[in-house]
Amino acid sequence: MTKINRYLNFLMPYILLLILIYCFASLGFWQLDRAKEKDTLNEAYVSETSYLKIRDDLAIDEYQQIQSNGEYITEKQIIIDNIIRNGQLGQMIISPFEISSELPLLLVNRGWIKKNINSNEKPDININVMINSVKGRSGNLPKMAIRDSEAFSESIAWPMLGTYPKINEIEILLERKILPYILLLDLEEENGFQRNWEPRISSTSTNYGYAIQWFLMCFGVTVILIIKLKKLLINNK
Protein backbone atom coordinates (compact mmCIF):
# COMPACT_ATOMS: atom_id res chain seq x y z
CA MET A 1 0.00 0.00 0.00
CA THR A 2 1.41 3.38 -1.00
CA LYS A 3 1.92 6.22 1.42
CA ILE A 4 -0.93 8.19 -0.19
CA ASN A 5 -3.34 5.27 0.20
CA ARG A 6 -2.43 4.86 3.86
CA TYR A 7 -2.96 8.58 4.38
CA LEU A 8 -6.38 8.44 2.69
CA ASN A 9 -7.42 5.42 4.74
CA PHE A 10 -6.41 7.29 7.85
CA LEU A 11 -8.42 10.39 6.89
CA MET A 12 -11.52 8.57 5.60
CA PRO A 13 -13.35 8.15 8.97
CA TYR A 14 -12.87 11.83 9.75
CA ILE A 15 -14.08 12.89 6.30
CA LEU A 16 -17.17 10.70 6.65
CA LEU A 17 -17.95 12.18 10.06
CA LEU A 18 -17.61 15.72 8.65
CA ILE A 19 -19.95 14.82 5.78
CA LEU A 20 -22.51 13.46 8.23
CA ILE A 21 -22.29 16.61 10.36
CA TYR A 22 -22.88 18.77 7.27
CA CYS A 23 -25.81 16.62 6.06
CA PHE A 24 -27.55 16.47 9.45
CA ALA A 25 -27.13 20.21 10.02
CA SER A 26 -28.41 21.01 6.51
CA LEU A 27 -31.49 18.84 7.03
CA GLY A 28 -32.16 20.52 10.36
CA PHE A 29 -31.98 24.02 8.86
CA TRP A 30 -34.15 22.86 5.93
CA GLN A 31 -36.87 21.77 8.35
CA LEU A 32 -36.66 25.17 10.07
CA ASP A 33 -37.04 26.88 6.69
CA ARG A 34 -40.10 24.72 5.90
CA ALA A 35 -41.66 25.70 9.23
CA LYS A 36 -40.97 29.37 8.47
CA GLU A 37 -42.61 29.02 5.04
CA LYS A 38 -45.73 27.52 6.63
CA ASP A 39 -45.87 30.29 9.24
CA THR A 40 -45.56 32.91 6.49
CA LEU A 41 -48.35 31.27 4.49
CA ASN A 42 -50.67 31.12 7.50
CA GLU A 43 -49.91 34.74 8.40
CA ALA A 44 -50.67 35.81 4.81
CA TYR A 45 -54.01 34.00 4.93
CA VAL A 46 -55.21 35.54 8.19
CA SER A 47 -53.90 39.04 7.47
CA GLU A 48 -56.54 41.66 6.70
CA THR A 49 -54.89 44.06 4.28
CA SER A 50 -56.58 46.33 1.78
CA TYR A 51 -57.43 44.85 -1.61
CA LEU A 52 -54.82 45.50 -4.29
CA LYS A 53 -56.01 46.43 -7.75
CA ILE A 54 -54.56 43.96 -10.26
CA ARG A 55 -52.03 45.26 -12.77
CA ASP A 56 -49.87 43.27 -15.18
CA ASP A 57 -46.65 44.53 -13.58
CA LEU A 58 -47.81 44.10 -9.97
CA ALA A 59 -46.00 41.46 -7.91
CA ILE A 60 -48.55 39.44 -5.95
CA ASP A 61 -47.78 37.31 -2.89
CA GLU A 62 -49.76 34.15 -2.21
CA TYR A 63 -53.04 34.72 -0.33
CA GLN A 64 -52.79 38.48 -0.82
CA GLN A 65 -56.15 40.21 -1.09
CA ILE A 66 -56.74 41.35 -4.68
CA GLN A 67 -59.57 42.78 -6.75
CA SER A 68 -60.29 43.82 -10.30
CA ASN A 69 -62.95 45.25 -12.56
CA GLY A 70 -63.89 43.51 -15.78
CA GLU A 71 -66.20 40.71 -16.87
CA TYR A 72 -66.33 36.94 -16.95
CA ILE A 73 -65.86 35.10 -20.22
CA THR A 74 -68.85 32.91 -19.52
CA GLU A 75 -68.70 30.84 -22.70
CA LYS A 76 -65.22 29.44 -21.96
CA GLN A 77 -65.21 28.04 -18.46
CA ILE A 78 -63.17 25.12 -17.10
CA ILE A 79 -64.20 22.32 -14.76
CA ILE A 80 -61.29 20.69 -12.95
CA ASP A 81 -62.36 17.12 -12.32
CA ASN A 82 -61.79 14.72 -9.42
CA ILE A 83 -61.14 17.17 -6.59
CA ILE A 84 -61.72 15.53 -3.20
CA ARG A 85 -63.03 17.60 -0.29
CA ASN A 86 -64.04 16.08 3.05
CA GLY A 87 -64.01 12.61 1.56
CA GLN A 88 -66.35 13.54 -1.30
CA LEU A 89 -65.53 13.59 -5.01
CA GLY A 90 -66.11 16.92 -6.68
CA GLN A 91 -65.00 19.53 -9.17
CA MET A 92 -63.48 23.01 -9.10
CA ILE A 93 -64.99 25.69 -11.32
CA ILE A 94 -62.44 27.97 -13.00
CA SER A 95 -63.78 30.98 -14.91
CA PRO A 96 -61.63 33.33 -17.02
CA PHE A 97 -62.10 37.01 -16.21
CA GLU A 98 -61.14 39.74 -18.66
CA ILE A 99 -59.80 42.89 -17.04
CA SER A 100 -59.04 44.62 -20.34
CA SER A 101 -57.96 43.63 -23.83
CA GLU A 102 -54.41 44.82 -23.06
CA LEU A 103 -53.95 42.67 -19.94
CA PRO A 104 -53.64 38.88 -19.57
CA LEU A 105 -56.76 37.06 -18.44
CA LEU A 106 -57.35 36.41 -14.74
CA LEU A 107 -58.49 32.93 -13.77
CA VAL A 108 -61.09 32.94 -10.99
CA ASN A 109 -61.64 29.86 -8.85
CA ARG A 110 -65.34 30.08 -8.06
CA GLY A 111 -65.23 27.11 -5.71
CA TRP A 112 -65.98 23.41 -5.35
CA ILE A 113 -69.12 21.47 -6.22
CA LYS A 114 -69.98 17.84 -5.51
CA LYS A 115 -69.73 15.60 -8.57
CA ASN A 116 -72.76 13.64 -9.71
CA ILE A 117 -71.12 10.27 -10.38
CA ASN A 118 -74.38 8.85 -11.74
CA SER A 119 -74.57 11.31 -14.62
CA ASN A 120 -72.29 12.23 -17.53
CA GLU A 121 -73.88 15.66 -17.79
CA LYS A 122 -71.75 18.65 -16.92
CA PRO A 123 -72.89 20.72 -13.92
CA ASP A 124 -74.75 24.00 -14.24
CA ILE A 125 -72.06 26.64 -13.72
CA ASN A 126 -73.79 29.55 -15.41
CA ILE A 127 -73.11 33.02 -14.12
CA ASN A 128 -76.60 34.32 -13.53
CA VAL A 129 -76.03 38.03 -12.97
CA MET A 130 -73.86 40.60 -14.69
CA ILE A 131 -70.55 40.84 -12.81
CA ASN A 132 -68.18 43.76 -13.34
CA SER A 133 -65.79 43.20 -10.45
CA VAL A 134 -64.29 40.34 -8.43
CA LYS A 135 -62.55 40.20 -5.06
CA GLY A 136 -60.58 37.45 -3.36
CA ARG A 137 -57.15 36.18 -2.52
CA SER A 138 -54.34 35.23 -4.84
CA GLY A 139 -53.60 31.53 -5.11
CA ASN A 140 -52.75 28.66 -7.41
CA LEU A 141 -54.58 26.08 -9.46
CA PRO A 142 -55.21 22.70 -7.78
CA LYS A 143 -52.29 20.41 -8.54
CA MET A 144 -51.10 16.88 -7.98
CA ALA A 145 -47.64 15.33 -7.92
CA ILE A 146 -48.17 12.97 -10.86
CA ARG A 147 -50.80 13.31 -13.58
CA ASP A 148 -51.37 10.17 -15.63
CA SER A 149 -53.23 11.79 -18.54
CA GLU A 150 -53.42 14.94 -20.63
CA ALA A 151 -54.99 17.97 -18.97
CA PHE A 152 -57.72 18.24 -21.61
CA SER A 153 -59.20 15.90 -24.18
CA GLU A 154 -58.72 16.71 -27.86
CA SER A 155 -62.39 17.52 -28.39
CA ILE A 156 -63.33 21.04 -27.34
CA ALA A 157 -66.77 21.30 -25.76
CA TRP A 158 -67.36 24.14 -23.35
CA PRO A 159 -67.29 24.12 -20.43
CA MET A 160 -64.07 22.12 -20.74
CA LEU A 161 -63.48 19.22 -18.38
CA GLY A 162 -59.83 19.10 -17.30
CA THR A 163 -57.52 17.03 -15.14
CA TYR A 164 -55.33 19.27 -12.99
CA PRO A 165 -54.33 21.64 -15.81
CA LYS A 166 -51.44 24.08 -15.54
CA ILE A 167 -51.66 27.75 -16.44
CA ASN A 168 -49.64 27.32 -19.64
CA GLU A 169 -52.03 24.56 -20.77
CA ILE A 170 -55.03 26.81 -20.16
CA GLU A 171 -53.27 29.57 -22.12
CA ILE A 172 -53.07 27.25 -25.12
CA LEU A 173 -56.72 26.30 -24.69
CA LEU A 174 -57.95 29.89 -24.44
CA GLU A 175 -55.38 31.27 -26.88
CA ARG A 176 -54.70 34.13 -24.47
CA LYS A 177 -52.00 35.03 -22.01
CA ILE A 178 -52.98 34.42 -18.36
CA LEU A 179 -51.75 36.04 -15.17
CA PRO A 180 -49.36 33.72 -13.23
CA TYR A 181 -51.73 33.47 -10.24
CA ILE A 182 -55.45 32.90 -9.85
CA LEU A 183 -58.09 34.64 -7.76
CA LEU A 184 -59.74 32.57 -5.03
CA LEU A 185 -63.20 34.11 -4.92
CA ASP A 186 -64.22 35.64 -1.59
CA LEU A 187 -67.08 34.02 0.31
CA GLU A 188 -69.35 37.04 0.00
CA GLU A 189 -68.89 37.32 -3.76
CA GLU A 190 -71.80 36.23 -5.96
CA ASN A 191 -71.82 33.26 -8.34
CA GLY A 192 -69.49 31.18 -6.21
CA PHE A 193 -69.77 27.64 -4.93
CA GLN A 194 -68.37 25.95 -1.81
CA ARG A 195 -65.23 27.84 -0.85
CA ASN A 196 -62.66 27.08 1.82
CA TRP A 197 -59.31 28.60 0.92
CA GLU A 198 -57.56 27.96 4.23
CA PRO A 199 -54.05 26.61 3.53
CA ARG A 200 -53.98 22.80 3.61
CA ILE A 201 -50.62 22.40 5.30
CA SER A 202 -49.41 20.26 8.16
CA SER A 203 -48.53 21.68 11.56
CA THR A 204 -45.16 23.38 11.93
CA SER A 205 -44.60 21.35 15.10
CA THR A 206 -43.76 18.38 12.86
CA ASN A 207 -41.02 20.35 11.14
CA TYR A 208 -39.62 21.61 14.44
CA GLY A 209 -39.64 18.04 15.77
CA TYR A 210 -37.70 16.76 12.76
CA ALA A 211 -35.30 19.70 13.04
CA ILE A 212 -34.53 18.82 16.65
CA GLN A 213 -33.87 15.20 15.66
CA TRP A 214 -31.46 16.19 12.89
CA PHE A 215 -29.62 18.65 15.15
CA LEU A 216 -29.32 16.00 17.88
CA MET A 217 -27.83 13.57 15.36
CA CYS A 218 -25.48 16.33 14.20
CA PHE A 219 -24.47 16.95 17.83
CA GLY A 220 -23.90 13.22 18.41
CA VAL A 221 -21.65 12.86 15.38
CA THR A 222 -19.78 16.03 16.40
CA VAL A 223 -19.11 14.52 19.83
CA ILE A 224 -17.79 11.33 18.19
CA LEU A 225 -15.49 13.40 15.97
CA ILE A 226 -14.16 15.37 18.94
CA ILE A 227 -13.48 12.15 20.89
CA LYS A 228 -11.60 10.66 17.94
CA LEU A 229 -9.54 13.82 17.50
CA LYS A 230 -8.68 13.88 21.21
CA LYS A 231 -7.55 10.26 21.06
CA LEU A 232 -5.45 11.07 18.02
CA LEU A 233 -3.75 13.95 19.82
CA ILE A 234 -3.07 11.82 22.92
CA ASN A 235 -1.60 8.98 20.83
CA ASN A 236 0.68 11.38 18.97
CA LYS A 237 2.15 12.94 22.11
Side-chain angles (χ1 to χ4, degrees):
M1 185 179 289
T2 65
K3 187 175 181 180
I4 294 177
N5 286 338
R6 287 196 300 269
Y7 187 64
L8 288 174
N9 287 336
F10 169 76
L11 287 178
M12 190 58 66
Y14 300 97
I15 293 173
L16 290 175
L17 288 172
L18 287 172
I19 292 173
L20 286 174
I21 290 171
Y22 172 79
C23 291
F24 292 153
S26 297
L27 288 167
F29 284 116
W30 178 75
Q31 288 291 345
L32 292 179
D33 288 340
R34 286 288 295 126
K36 185 178 179 181
E37 289 173 5
K38 291 179 180 180
D39 285 335
T40 301
L41 198 60
N42 281 318
E43 288 172 6
Y45 178 76
V46 300
S47 65
E48 293 295 335
T49 57
S50 58
Y51 286 87
L52 291 178
K53 199 74 174 286
I54 294 174
R55 302 194 313 269
D56 191 17
D57 60 345
L58 184 65
I60 299 292
D61 295 325
E62 192 166 9
Y63 285 114
Q64 191 160 0
Q65 291 182 311
I66 53 177
Q67 65 177 350
S68 183
N69 295 328
E71 61 180 356
Y72 281 112
I73 303 177
T74 57
E75 68 275 12
K76 291 187 176 181
Q77 299 191 72
I78 296 165
I79 302 170
I80 301 183
D81 206 11
N82 298 327
I83 305 291
I84 297 176
R85 291 289 182 269
N86 299 320
Q88 293 185 311
L89 188 63
Q91 299 166 320
M92 282 290 188
I93 309 306
I94 307 296
S95 303
F97 188 85
E98 185 164 42
I99 302 169
S100 73
S101 58
E102 291 79 27
L103 288 177
L105 294 176
L106 170 68
L107 295 181
V108 178
N109 189 335
R110 294 167 55 207
W112 180 92
I113 59 175
K114 185 177 178 181
K115 183 176 181 178
N116 184 359
I117 59 177
N118 297 318
S119 173
N120 293 324
E121 292 186 8
K122 293 178 180 178
D124 179 10
I125 59 172
N126 290 331
I127 296 173
N128 299 317
V129 297
M130 185 63 68
I131 299 293
N132 56 19
S133 67
V134 288
K135 295 169 67 176
R137 292 181 181 269
S138 60
N140 299 297
L141 289 168
K143 55 188 174 182
M144 63 188 309
I146 299 176
R147 193 181 67 196
D148 57 4
S149 63
E150 293 294 325
F152 300 104
S153 63
E154 293 183 3
S155 61
I156 298 179
W158 300 101
M160 280 291 294
L161 193 66
T163 304
Y164 291 93
K166 299 177 182 177
I167 281 183
N168 65 307
E169 292 171 319
I170 297 179
E171 283 182 331
I172 295 171
L173 184 72
L174 297 176
E175 298 179 329
R176 287 282 301 272
K177 289 291 292 180
I178 295 174
L179 290 168
Y181 50 86
I182 71 171
L183 183 143
L184 307 173
L185 194 64
D186 271 355
L187 291 175
E188 65 270 15
E189 292 288 287
E190 295 185 83
N191 284 281
F193 302 99
Q194 183 176 328
R195 285 158 280 175
N196 179 10
W197 309 128
E198 187 174 349
R200 296 175 180 274
I201 55 179
S202 59
S203 171
T204 56
S205 60
T206 303
N207 299 97
Y208 288 122
Y210 284 138
I212 291 172
Q213 290 180 22
W214 288 122
F215 286 135
L216 285 175
M217 293 172 72
C218 178
F219 175 75
V221 176
T222 303
V223 170
I224 293 173
L225 178 61
I226 292 172
I227 291 172
K228 288 182 71 68
L229 289 173
K230 282 185 175 181
K231 287 182 179 179
L232 179 65
L233 290 173
I234 292 172
N235 293 335
N236 288 336
K237 282 185 178 180

